[in-house]
Amino acid sequence: MKILLATTNRFKVREITEIIPDVEFLAISDFTDHWEVEEVGATFEENSLLKAKTAAHYFGIISIADDSGLEIPILSYFPGVQSSRFLEDRPFEEKMKAVLERMSSFDKPEERVARFRTVATYYDPLTGQSLSAEGVVEGSIAERISGDNGFGYDPIFIPKGFDRTFGELSDIIKNNFSHRSRAFHKLFERIKSEALP
Ligand code: ITT
């Protein structure tokens, strides 16, 4: 069975194919270069369902989408569900600098706490069944931008128990325990036991 990954983010496609190596995934980029679903939901779960359902109905194939973001409790969970719209279309370097700037007056370890959250949603266009799973990784916001592995906010996020950012750690390490890895492993357990034939 082939499953469509309803994302235009090629880094996510690479991570997910490494996290779940025994499933054959297709990507939106296999079909079109023009795909956009407006993320109008108020939660990661709503947006991941919206992205999966829209692609599943359009392409007529079971689809999975992931909606993710960085949450910084001391900044009222900013950028959170707005992660992709914050300074939209600006380079990531600029977005990360803006986050570090907002964090500049917080230097206690407990003030720099942050987490990445992913909700992954499966949608079958024939049965209308949807299944979701969430994954979280705890950590903190670094003092500066470091490393160029991964993508997005990885160079300013230090996962708990490490002294380097996701940008400095290898993909193998990140994919071993990341928010995305936790969400997709849980989702595939649910698919195996709950997906309708
Ligand atoms: P799709 O909606 O097409 O999947 P996207 O990149 O817009 O792609 P999201 O809406 O889920 O995906 O992303 C929210 C933001 O959070 C976006 O700016 C990402 O770059 C960032 N992000 C998501 N996962 C991340 C990760 O594992 N590491 C660092 N940043 C991440």
Side-chain angles (χ1 to χ4, degrees):
M1 178 182 59
K2 288 186 183 179
I3 295 181
L4 176 65
L5 289 178
T7 177
T8 52
N9 182 326
R10 65 191 169 88
F11 298 100
K12 284 188 184 178
V13 174
R14 196 174 68 192
E15 287 189 3
I16 296 161
T17 50
E18 283 172 17
I19 291 164
I20 309 288
D22 52 341
V23 170
E24 201 176 337
F25 292 111
L26 297 167
I28 298 273
S29 59
D30 295 333
F31 303 105
T32 175
D33 292 332
H34 305 283
W35 183 256
E36 204 177 331
V37 177
E38 216 189 325
E39 297 183 16
V40 292
T43 61
F44 293 120
E45 186 161 2
E46 279 174 33
N47 282 331
S48 67
L49 174 61
L50 186 65
K51 290 189 272 191
K53 193 171 176 178
T54 307
H57 283 302
Y58 188 85
F59 295 103
I61 174 174
I62 290 177
S63 302
I64 293 179
D66 134 353
D67 199 51
S68 306
L70 178 66
E71 294 178 348
I72 307 175
I74 203 144
L75 301 181
S76 305
Y77 298 91
F78 165 86
V81 81
Q82 300 289 338
S83 290
S84 56
R85 274 159 286 172
F86 172 58
L87 295 180
E88 206 171 4
D89 304 327
R90 303 302 306 159
F92 250 93
E93 178 98 7
E94 211 173 296
K95 297 192 203 199
M96 290 190 284
K97 280 186 180 157
V99 172
L100 292 183
E101 180 60 34
R102 290 186 191 206
M103 291 298 286
S104 59
S105 56
F106 303 114
D107 50 12
K108 297 195 189 84
E110 64 272 22
E111 293 175 329
R112 300 196 70 88
V113 163
R115 64 184 64 93
F116 271 126
R117 190 182 299 277
T118 290
V119 175
T121 299
Y122 159 104
Y123 187 88
D124 182 340
L126 284 183
T127 62
Q129 185 187 29
S130 70
L131 296 169
S132 292
E134 184 175 84
V136 171
V137 64
E138 302 287 343
S140 61
I141 299 298
E143 297 291 336
R144 60 190 70 81
I145 298 172
S146 306
D148 48 20
N149 291 333
F151 68 97
Y153 297 98
D154 281 340
I156 58 167
F157 181 81
I158 302 175
K160 203 172 178 172
F162 290 80
D163 54 7
R164 295 180 205 184
T165 68
F166 265 156
E168 295 172 291
L169 294 166
S170 68
D171 284 2
I172 294 173
I173 302 281
K174 179 183 177 190
N175 291 337
N176 196 30
F177 64 93
S178 73
H179 46 308
R180 181 160 296 106
S181 166
R182 289 174 173 160
F184 274 81
H185 283 300
K186 273 194 230 164
L187 180 64
F188 273 87
E189 272 169 33
R190 290 199 65 187
I191 293 170
K192 275 180 204 137
S193 59
E194 297 174 51
L196 299 173

